[in-house]
Amino acid sequence: MQDTYDAQAVEREAQEFWESRASFRVTEDTSRPKYYCLSMFPYPSGKLHMGHVRNYTIGDVLTRYYRMRGYNVLQPMGWDAFGLPAENAAMSNKVPPARWTYDNIAYMKKQLKSLGFALDWDRELATCRPEYYKWNQWLFTRLFRKGLAYKKTGVVNWDPVDQTVLANEQVIDGRGWRTGAVVEKREIPMYFLRITAYAEELLSALDELPGWPEQVKLMQKNWIGKSEGVRVGFPYELDGRKETLWVFTTRADTLMGATFCAVAAEHPIALHAARSNREVREFVEECKRGAVMEADLAQLEKKGLPTGIFATHPLTGEKIPVWVANYVLMGYGEGAVMAVPAHDERDFEFAEKYGLPIKPVIRHALGDTVPAPWKPEYAEHGVCINSGKYDGMDFGQAVDAIAADLAAKRLGEKQTQWRLRDWGISRQRYWGTPIPIIHCPACGDVPVPEKDLPVRLPEDLVPDGTGNPLARLPSFYETKCPQCGKDARRETDTMDTFVDSSWYFARYACPDADRMVDERARYWMPVDQYIGGIEHAILHLLYSRFFTRAMRDEGLLPGLAEPFTNLLTQGMVLAESYYTEADGRREWVNPADVIVEKDAKGKVLAARRKSDGAPVVYGGIGTMSKSKNNGVDPQALIDRYGADTARFYTMFASPPTNTLEWSDESVEGSFRFLRRVWAFALAQHKAHKTTDVQKDARHEIHATLRQANYDMQRHQFNTVASACMKILNVLEKLPSPGTATAVEGLSILVRLLAPITPHLAHHLWRECGFGEDMLHAAWPEPDPAALEQDEVELVVQVNGVKRGTVRVPREADRAALEPLVTSLDFV
RNA sequence: GCGAAGGUGGCGGAACUGGUAGACGCACCGGAUUUAGGUUCCGGCGCCGCGAGGCGUGUGGGUUCGAGUCCCACCCUUCGCACCA
């Protein structure tokens, strides 16, 4: 055994050992319980970032932990390889996205291997390969024939200078990121997946996911947004034609207080008014400017204009004005709302601003009137007033009565409304899965027949930022109709990359299958533990739940509804940022190049740049980003301290679900700990062995182990790491090496460390003679004799009234304790 | 704007059911060893105070014998967004 801890040598040796034995290759084995541990696959952006290291270390700790407990564990890895950054890189480097992507994959794979993850690389997949995206296309054509995929118009961000569609990300403050031009909304035909067909099931099944964080389930529930209400019709006339303006409301009890209606700028009424009224036309134009991002729209000042059109109130017969308003969205519900200013905050503000009538129809906690300013009580349920025959009814009675009266007039009925909308998957971009549709002038939209799949994406194009190069490539889009054989045009839009990531977990079970998935998926699915960033709490996870059901209903995954049994959402990795300021311009300085000065108590006094000593300003803590130059390259960490230190640090520094704030100093502490472990093991290695048992130390080690076992179960890896440090502290204080307690303590410590620092554990396990391959060493199960509590709980009473409990060590001398609390009684 | 989560020393975090707040690590301070140290070891370390003591878990209230933990209001930070109907 070497005198000093040489991480690089230890890690090389362990990795070669695992490689030579194919330690992590797994097959279906029905004799053992299976455990499918999956981390969200990376986008091949170039190199690993700290978020990857954290994510995959969590997965690897669980993988190795379950392996040591005898499970048949699958941990695969692949690449979410389609997407926008590859096109951007292509534009700046003049290299095809494919080339850039494959180069990145090769480099990042090398990095992942250097971290020693227990991955089955035989199952690697990349979504940009035809063998993979063929099945995106295949499933799409199946869903298309079923009507679960369909075409309609959707709204996109349009850059009028580059004549191209922009992603939300490419719109900055309402302008195109390359051109600076004000972005416009534009409606274009797109393909949608009918996720709303599964809305009810996606919602109700959340109750049967005990292994998911409540927070994520709640966010999904709110996202799906089931609401029970009434669809109400307001008749109106347009150029002599009788029409009905339909709105949806959850507050039909307030219908008698509706004093106007508001429609979206894209609504037919608004468009009609725009033709004859210049003001309305300008307002509609104004609403079209700007991006489609809903978070931005929500913060716009509420504005509107009367359309000059009046609708008839379905109950009173009164004429009420129809306004066009920027806060009404065409994509939600009917694109129109009825406004009840007295009992809705937004309508209240709007009515106040434009002098529209406010008619209270509900008795609320503060009375029968609704004086400004707005009070939340106005929106609460109450008894109807000023509502004619509905006076005195409560919410439920009024809704029932009004819905019945509307139904009698054929102007309404009860309806369930969902917030969830169908999923638009068309992207006017090159680097994605081609949508397998052929547009035939005679036959219409024809799905590509199975025998012609995949529709291959040419891999040698270089986009230039002015639209999809596929649309300029006749050899791609010129084709024949598969039905009639006449000239036809192939669809050039590609799929949203969320399609790729909505089923990859099932493909890992059978990466070489000649079908989308085969029977091996029945063995491995569902994923037992899924790990990934909290930022995917809604979209990716919801789409995956939808896809699993769609695949189930295609007969691909019989009986499977939920893809992920347990979900762990890791927190973001954050870092401090610093900048220098000159002429009002900020230059961001990487934290690695900053020296921080502290006072005698460790408080930060000042910071300066290493190179020239220039003072730098603290820019706060935040996610690692290029713009703030505060990224920490994990490769530097691995090169300097080794993979085990990187792994130990990321586990130890913070509980997995919290944000992790980067700290160079703590890395050093982790490395120092591993070196101490090495030194202790070396001393045992050299020592003369005795059978001496140090009772107190042994007791403390086992107590710490029990706590660590418990913490591992609840995924508190940071306290497991702390437990390792505590055990070493105990071991180092033993009077002499080589005792039975020292040897047993070391074997416990190494086994506890094995999931976190597998290379070091592997090496010490062999050197200290515990066995050849520690992957087969059982996780230390608590000693049943010691399982009895380490502490006993004493109930403290005063005059017979329970005043709490006191925990004392089991060995504590009760007689010695009693005098300290003479006024109390122990029970 | 809406939905979700979180605020504990100089820092990351412990504290399981309401019961000694600050485990473990970092930083910092003191000491020892060392030719030296960005080494190792030992000790100290919430704040105020010479001290006795007082104050302390974002802020302000409340429940309780007892609150980091439960309730109400507010402030701040982070994540998500297809705004609300």
Side-chain angles (χ1 to χ4, degrees):
Chain A
M1 191 173 169
Q2 297 290 312
D3 280 354
T4 54
Y5 170 43
D6 177 351
Q8 271 69 27
V10 166
E11 286 166 15
R12 203 178 318 117
E13 181 215 302
Q15 286 168 18
E16 279 166 12
F17 181 87
W18 296 326
E19 186 87 21
S20 70
R21 298 201 168 193
S23 292
F24 308 121
R25 189 179 299 157
V26 288
T27 52
E28 300 70 42
D29 171 3
T30 49
S31 70
R32 286 185 295 159
K34 69 96 183 176
Y35 188 85
Y36 182 1
C37 185
L38 180 67
S39 292
M40 291 180 186
F41 62 171
Y43 178 79
S45 53
K47 53 187 183 182
L48 293 186
H49 55 66
M50 285 310 306
H52 293 130
V53 174
R54 191 181 194 197
N55 195 157
Y56 303 140
T57 302
I58 293 169
D60 202 50
V61 167
L62 287 166
T63 293
R64 290 172 179 273
Y65 170 66
Y66 277 95
R67 272 188 75 115
M68 290 174 78
R69 289 183 49 193
Y71 287 77
N72 186 30
V73 184
L74 167 61
Q75 185 182 223
M77 184 53 69
W79 309 95
D80 187 13
F82 274 138
L84 203 50
E87 296 198 16
N88 296 333
M91 279 187 260
S92 40
N93 307 335
K94 308 268 183 276
V95 171
R99 168 81 184 284
W100 182 84
T101 302
Y102 291 129
D103 285 353
N104 288 349
I105 287 175
Y107 183 74
M108 290 171 76
K109 183 171 175 180
K110 214 172 77 189
Q111 287 190 300
L112 285 174
K113 288 201 162 185
S114 78
L115 279 157
F117 296 132
L119 294 162
D120 183 353
W121 282 106
D122 287 357
R123 295 166 185 266
E124 179 182 6
L125 57 81
T127 57
C128 62
R129 307 213 67 113
E131 312 87 86
Y132 184 83
Y133 66 68
K134 172 181 178 175
W135 302 107
N136 287 347
Q137 296 173 338
W138 178 82
L139 187 70
F140 177 86
T141 60
R142 303 278 295 199
L143 297 180
F144 188 79
R145 290 199 182 90
K146 268 184 168 176
L148 284 174
Y150 65 96
K151 186 158 86 172
K152 70 168 181 182
T153 59
V155 189
V156 294
N157 302 304
W158 180 257
D159 185 321
V161 172
D162 268 350
Q163 292 283 300
T164 190
V165 175
L166 297 179
N168 282 345
E169 184 192 69
Q170 297 172 311
V171 179
I172 294 155
D173 298 329
R175 292 168 182 274
W177 68 340
R178 293 161 59 81
T179 64
V182 174
V183 169
E184 298 165 8
K185 296 183 189 69
R186 187 170 267 213
E187 290 199 49
I188 57 169
M190 306 202 325
Y191 290 93
F192 285 78
L193 298 185
R194 209 180 291 281
I195 188 173
T196 52
Y198 291 89
E200 186 77 62
E201 194 189 340
L202 289 169
L203 177 67
S204 60
L206 288 172
D207 293 337
E208 290 138 42
L209 280 174
W212 280 41
E214 288 305 318
Q215 139 201 23
V216 173
K217 287 191 278 187
L218 194 53
M219 281 194 267
Q220 293 224 346
K221 182 183 174 213
N222 292 336
W223 186 263
I224 295 167
K226 182 179 188 174
S227 55
E228 309 279 355
V230 177
R231 186 170 182 250
V232 184
F234 290 75
Y236 66 100
E237 281 194 16
L238 212 59
D239 303 331
R241 278 177 290 120
K242 287 195 190 304
E243 304 273 356
T244 305
L245 173 63
W246 290 102
V247 304
F248 174 82
T249 178
T250 54
R251 288 302 301 274
D253 61 317
T254 64
L255 178 54
M256 297 299 282
T259 55
F260 64 101
C261 286
V263 299
E266 298 86 356
H267 193 279
I269 291 184
L271 297 178
H272 182 273
R275 281 199 286 278
S276 54
N277 180 328
R278 211 192 68 183
E279 256 189 310
V280 172
R281 185 161 61 245
E282 280 168 5
F283 183 71
V284 168
E285 286 302 318
E286 188 191 319
C287 290
K288 275 191 188 164
R289 276 197 292 278
V292 297
M293 256 174 293
E294 308 227 346
D296 288 351
L297 293 173
Q299 277 159 103
L300 289 179
E301 189 197 350
K302 310 266 179 282
K303 283 203 265 185
L305 270 185
T307 59
I309 292 162
F310 286 78
T312 308
H313 191 290
L315 298 179
T316 65
E318 234 175 293
K319 295 282 184 197
I320 63 171
V322 178
W323 283 56
V324 52
N326 64 355
Y327 65 87
V328 181
L329 299 183
M330 199 57 210
Y332 190 85
E334 310 280 353
V337 297
M338 70 176 202
V340 184
H343 304 292
D344 179 281
E345 182 171 9
R346 198 192 36 218
D347 295 344
F348 187 89
E349 274 172 31
F350 197 84
E352 287 269 292
K353 179 170 178 176
Y354 292 106
L356 290 157
I358 298 172
K359 181 187 172 196
V361 292
I362 300 290
R363 175 166 299 142
H364 54 86
L366 303 177
D368 288 358
T369 57
V370 291
W374 172 262
K375 305 253 176 8
E377 287 81 0
Y378 300 169
E380 286 168 6
H381 287 184
V383 171
C384 292
I385 54 171
N386 304 328
S387 299
K389 64 184 272 203
Y390 309 109
D391 280 356
M393 291 187 185
D394 66 19
F395 172 80
Q397 294 165 335
V399 170
D400 288 347
I402 287 172
D405 289 348
L406 290 172
K409 296 182 175 186
R410 299 181 151 270
L411 285 175
E413 71 265 294
K414 284 201 177 176
Q415 197 183 44
T416 301
Q417 178 95 350
W418 302 89
R419 211 187 77 94
L420 183 70
R421 295 187 220 156
D422 280 338
W423 174 14
I425 59 158
S426 294
R427 297 290 180 269
Q428 297 68 44
R429 265 177 225 118
Y430 157 58
W431 191 233
T433 303
I435 293 177
I437 289 283
I438 291 167
H439 303 288
C440 170
C443 310
D445 289 0
V446 182
V448 175
E450 190 172 343
K451 67 174 172 56
D452 296 335
L453 293 177
V455 176
R456 280 178 184 270
L457 184 70
E459 292 199 350
D460 54 354
L461 303 185
V462 181
D464 62 1
T466 62
N468 183 351
L470 291 177
R472 295 190 295 258
L473 190 69
S475 63
F476 180 79
Y477 65 71
E478 283 178 357
T479 186
K480 304 285 182 197
C481 173
Q483 271 177 26
C484 66
K486 291 198 190 106
D487 284 351
R489 188 184 164 98
R490 187 185 297 288
E491 172 67 49
T492 57
D493 280 0
T494 54
M495 291 186 196
D496 181 1
T497 54
F498 271 123
V499 173
D500 309 328
S501 56
S502 291
W503 68 281
Y504 75 108
F505 41 86
R507 186 71 184 178
Y508 279 138
C510 46
D512 53 357
D514 58 359
R515 285 165 282 159
M516 191 171 185
V517 293
D518 65 22
E519 66 288 342
R520 286 171 288 175
R522 295 180 79 162
Y523 174 83
W524 289 111
M525 289 297 291
V527 172
D528 293 280
Q529 181 68 59
Y530 196 37
I531 304 136
I534 182 68
E535 66 272 21
H536 295 295
I538 297 177
L539 290 176
H540 163 61
L541 293 172
L542 190 64
Y543 291 149
S544 298
R545 298 179 63 221
F546 160 56
F547 248 64
T548 303
R549 288 170 166 84
M551 289 170 73
R552 173 197 64 193
D553 294 346
E554 282 296 324
L556 297 164
L557 297 170
L560 186 72
E562 290 297 338
F564 314 123
T565 307
N566 293 292
L567 176 68
L568 192 158
T569 48
Q570 62 157 355
M572 315 281 289
V573 180
L574 309 179
E576 292 172 325
S577 59
Y578 298 91
Y579 59 88
T580 59
E581 201 149 28
D583 309 328
R585 286 187 55 168
R586 286 179 180 184
E587 190 192 333
W588 295 91
V589 182
N590 193 282
D593 302 327
V594 171
I595 296 173
V596 175
E597 292 170 15
K598 294 179 178 175
D599 69 6
K601 289 186 173 170
K603 285 187 192 172
V604 175
L605 289 175
R608 46 188 71 249
R609 181 156 54 192
K610 268 183 195 168
S611 54
D612 57 1
V616 294
V617 185
Y618 178 57
I621 202 146
T623 50
M624 292 184 180
S625 70
K626 263 186 199 157
S627 61
K628 284 197 173 180
N629 188 17
N630 64 339
V632 176
D633 185 359
Q635 196 58 51
L637 175 62
I638 297 165
D639 291 345
R640 179 153 178 208
Y641 297 105
D644 279 343
T645 295
R647 295 170 59 119
F648 190 89
Y649 168 72
T650 49
M651 289 302 93
F652 173 64
S654 181
T657 54
N658 281 22
T659 55
L660 186 156
E661 288 174 33
W662 181 261
S663 150
D664 280 320
E665 289 94 349
S666 293
V667 174
E668 184 75 35
S670 297
F671 179 65
R672 220 174 293 161
F673 166 68
L674 297 187
R675 212 163 45 185
R676 276 167 58 203
V677 172
W678 183 277
F680 182 78
L682 183 68
Q684 301 314 310
H685 187 68
K686 289 182 171 169
H688 169 70
K689 302 289 186 293
T690 75
T691 54
D692 296 355
V693 173
Q694 282 102 356
K695 206 178 138 201
D696 288 351
R698 186 170 187 273
H699 177 85
E700 200 171 340
I701 290 165
H702 279 271
T704 309
L705 169 62
R706 280 191 290 282
Q707 183 64 42
N709 253 324
Y710 173 70
D711 289 340
M712 190 64 106
Q713 299 293 330
R714 40 173 210 147
H715 300 163
Q716 294 295 303
F717 309 118
N718 56 322
T719 50
V720 175
S722 283
C724 294
M725 290 179 158
K726 275 187 206 172
I727 289 176
L728 183 62
N729 284 344
V730 173
L731 292 174
E732 285 180 336
K733 290 200 171 68
L734 292 177
S736 57
T739 61
T741 302
V743 174
E744 185 196 4
L746 180 63
S747 86
I748 286 174
L749 176 60
V750 172
R751 277 186 285 191
L752 268 177
L753 278 172
I756 305 174
T757 61
H759 310 88
L760 178 63
H762 168 82
H763 190 88
L764 297 183
W765 191 253
R766 302 177 77 186
E767 290 287 345
C768 295
F770 296 130
E772 160 78 354
D773 181 358
M774 92 161 306
L775 291 171
H776 302 296
W779 182 258
E781 298 295 335
D783 169 7
L787 251 182
E788 289 176 46
Q789 289 171 317
D790 307 313
E791 293 178 325
V792 287
E793 193 167 84
L794 299 181
V795 177
V796 180
Q797 294 189 346
V798 176
N799 301 330
V801 178
K802 180 180 170 185
R803 299 305 283 272
T805 56
V806 178
R807 282 168 171 249
V808 296
R810 191 173 187 78
E811 292 75 15
D813 184 350
R814 188 165 163 156
L817 280 167
E818 304 237 13
L820 301 173
V821 282
T822 43
S823 62
L824 308 176
D825 319 311
F826 286 112
V827 176

